[in-house]
Amino acid sequence: MHQRDVGLLAPVRATSPVDEVTSDHAFVRAMLDAEAAVTRAQAAVGLAPPEAAATVTAVARADRFDPASLADRARAGGNPVIPLVADLTQAVADAHAEHAAYVHRGPTSQDIMDTACMLVTAASLDLIAADLGRAADAFGALAARHRDTPLAGRTLTQHAVPTTVGLKVAGWRALVLDAYERITRVRAALPVQLGGAAGTLAAFHAYAEAPNATPGPDGDDLGLSLIAAYADELGLAAPELPWHALRTPVADTGAALAFGAGALGKVAGDVLVLARTEIGELGEGSGGGSSAMPHKANPVRATLIAAAARQVPALASVLLGALAAPDERAAGPWHAEWQPLRDALRLLGGAAHTAAELGASLTVDADRMRANLGLTGGALLSERLVAELAPRLGRGPAKAALTRAARRATEQGTDLFDALRAEPDVTGALPAARLRELAEPTDYLGSAGALTDRALRRDPRSSHPGQDPR
């Protein structure tokens, strides 16, 4: 019994916009769109009657074809295009017998399957880009709202120096925009595939009758004119060459998807750390529940994004591995791409949609952040103190005095600045009032505000293609 994959084990993508456009039904629709467009393109260059193109287009409706049956019969030929062509040819013959001869006349199965994958990828990347844009907007608003809210900067898991929520979240936004740029660049370059049996388009020439063939506007030969017409029919790019064994479009897509997942994974990782009970600096607003512990409000959105971030790079490695495709058409590499490509699209699609929700729901506990700044008893300001004391004592003695004071503060459970008062060199070099000034973490934020402002001015959605928005 065949049942639709509803995402039971991948909740991040379940019911997301990309989930629908990557369904089995969507792939059948894309294959049919590719088949109909081939016939229309041939009609455009005089290789098929316009009436035949109209018939094929009218019959090529996805609801007339059963994905489960196609999947069963795909085993015989290794891909679902073969049984689909048989069913489509019969359906066209039932509608208009003479037009059935123009179904799948010239292309190979890989032409249709690759083009269908590009159509599904295009629809998915459009949705992913929109959700990445929503996430960037949400993080931008959060960064602006908390431009100067201080929190402890953490390096190698430990408190380092003070930073701001604005700078941290502006960094998230920058990564999301980096992902957006990669996704939109790949989307714009997605090509049709049309090469015939071995990439020469020879079959189309064989079918051509010179008096009826229409040369391209630039004097291109029949094959080049046909590719251009095919690309125009589907709204995809016209490739320089048939890419049956030149898998750049799929590899580039995989790399962009992996980058996007990693970028969102960075955001999720930060949220998961800062939402820990003992840290409590961030929250998801309405968190997820637990099956056993009623008190919990789990950071579920960040968890789902983090899970996707760990899967997509592995899927992308399969797509990159398919670059090693022998011959003019390979046995195995392009077949291996289909499921990983769909899974990667679904996972990033779900993660991007969830990230937009996460950005809109995040809460900042500024009081908790301020309290956590004091957890080290002033030690996170040791860099500042070295810079202040070095001109007076020399860098080496200043660092040695701070090391002694920090050790004593840790052993005695006191504040670093209290411990410094036991260092004669320090008290002789710094008046007590200045020492108190140096103990304020919010006065040691460097260029955090200016960096945040500059980052928030960047928006590749309003820049010209190819222009560096930074």
Side-chain angles (χ1 to χ4, degrees):
M1 179 179 179
H2 296 280
Q3 294 186 355
R4 187 170 69 91
D5 173 10
V6 295
L8 181 66
L9 302 184
V12 71
R13 62 93 168 168
T15 72
S16 72
V18 171
D19 200 37
E20 181 177 352
V21 300
T22 56
S23 67
D24 284 349
H25 179 82
F27 267 92
V28 172
R29 183 173 62 245
M31 288 186 285
L32 290 167
D33 288 346
E35 287 287 1
V38 167
T39 310
R40 293 197 303 273
Q42 291 185 71
V45 298
L47 296 182
E51 298 80 10
T55 300
V56 173
T57 300
V59 170
R61 300 198 315 269
D63 57 3
R64 302 179 61 151
F65 302 88
D66 179 16
S69 173
L70 295 173
D72 285 342
R73 290 179 288 150
R75 291 182 58 82
N79 72 73
V81 176
I82 296 172
L84 181 65
V85 167
D87 291 354
L88 178 61
T89 301
Q90 183 60 56
V92 171
D94 292 343
H96 200 301
E98 294 180 5
H99 295 167
Y102 295 96
V103 174
H104 199 73
R105 192 175 79 153
T108 188
S109 297
Q110 189 174 353
D111 289 331
I112 301 304
M113 192 65 192
D114 279 347
T115 300
C117 285
M118 294 296 96
L119 288 171
V120 169
T121 298
S124 299
L125 295 187
D126 286 341
L127 293 171
I128 289 169
D131 277 332
L132 289 174
R134 288 174 53 223
D137 289 341
F139 292 139
L142 186 66
R145 191 159 60 247
H146 290 279
R147 176 187 185 273
D148 301 313
T149 302
L151 82 158
R154 296 169 171 89
T155 64
L156 298 172
T157 77
Q158 306 298 298
H159 283 203
V161 296
T163 184
T164 64
V165 175
L167 184 58
K168 189 175 193 71
V169 179
W172 297 351
R173 179 180 181 272
L175 274 178
V176 170
L177 291 179
D178 288 343
Y180 174 89
E181 288 183 306
R182 285 159 174 77
I183 290 295
T184 53
R185 186 162 55 242
V186 166
R187 166 62 180 93
L190 292 176
V192 295
Q193 174 75 284
L194 192 63
T200 65
L201 298 159
F204 298 104
H205 287 267
Y207 285 121
E209 295 180 6
N212 298 326
T214 304
D218 299 320
D220 288 340
D221 81 355
L222 177 64
L224 299 184
S225 298
L226 184 59
I227 290 174
Y230 187 41
D232 187 61
E233 287 288 341
L234 292 173
L236 296 174
E240 182 180 38
L241 294 170
W243 46 279
H244 294 140
L246 309 172
R247 308 306 291 173
T248 300
V250 179
D252 279 350
T253 300
L257 295 173
F259 182 94
L264 297 179
K266 155 63 177 171
V267 177
D270 280 350
V271 171
L272 290 171
V273 168
L274 299 182
R276 289 176 179 270
T277 304
E278 61 272 25
I279 298 177
E281 295 178 355
L282 289 181
E284 284 198 2
S286 56
S290 164
S291 64
M293 295 165 284
H295 70 281
K296 295 189 72 180
N298 296 322
V300 172
R301 294 184 183 90
T303 297
L304 294 177
I305 296 168
R310 284 159 175 77
Q311 295 175 77
V312 178
L315 295 167
S317 72
V318 178
L319 304 181
L320 292 167
L323 282 167
D327 300 326
E328 279 58 57
R329 290 178 58 226
W334 70 281
H335 304 76
E337 294 169 347
W338 309 334
Q339 191 63 35
L341 175 62
R342 174 159 75 171
D343 287 345
L345 288 168
R346 285 175 163 180
L347 286 167
L348 182 57
H353 193 67
T354 305
E357 296 174 343
L358 175 66
S361 69
L362 274 178
T363 60
V364 173
D365 190 335
D367 292 337
R368 188 68 173 267
M369 290 177 173
R370 179 59 195 245
N372 287 346
L373 281 169
L375 289 177
T376 61
L380 84 169
L381 293 168
S382 61
E383 179 189 66
R384 182 186 196 184
L385 289 165
V386 170
E388 185 81 14
L389 287 168
R392 297 170 171 83
L393 304 179
R395 185 173 179 82
K399 188 173 181 180
L402 278 165
T403 300
R404 289 193 301 271
R407 186 181 302 116
R408 187 162 55 252
T410 300
E411 292 171 351
Q412 298 175 358
T414 61
D415 185 273
L416 174 63
F417 288 84
D418 290 336
L420 283 173
R421 294 187 182 94
E423 292 288 331
D425 290 343
V426 173
T427 55
L430 286 178
R434 179 56 180 160
L435 201 57
R436 283 194 298 273
E437 291 174 357
L438 295 174
E440 177 49 58
T442 59
D443 292 338
Y444 192 61
L445 297 174
S447 297
L451 289 167
T452 300
D453 293 341
R454 182 171 69 174
L456 294 183
R457 287 193 292 270
R458 174 193 171 198
D459 191 346
R461 294 167 293 180
S462 60
S463 64
H464 297 292
Q467 177 182 338
D468 183 358
R470 290 165 289 184

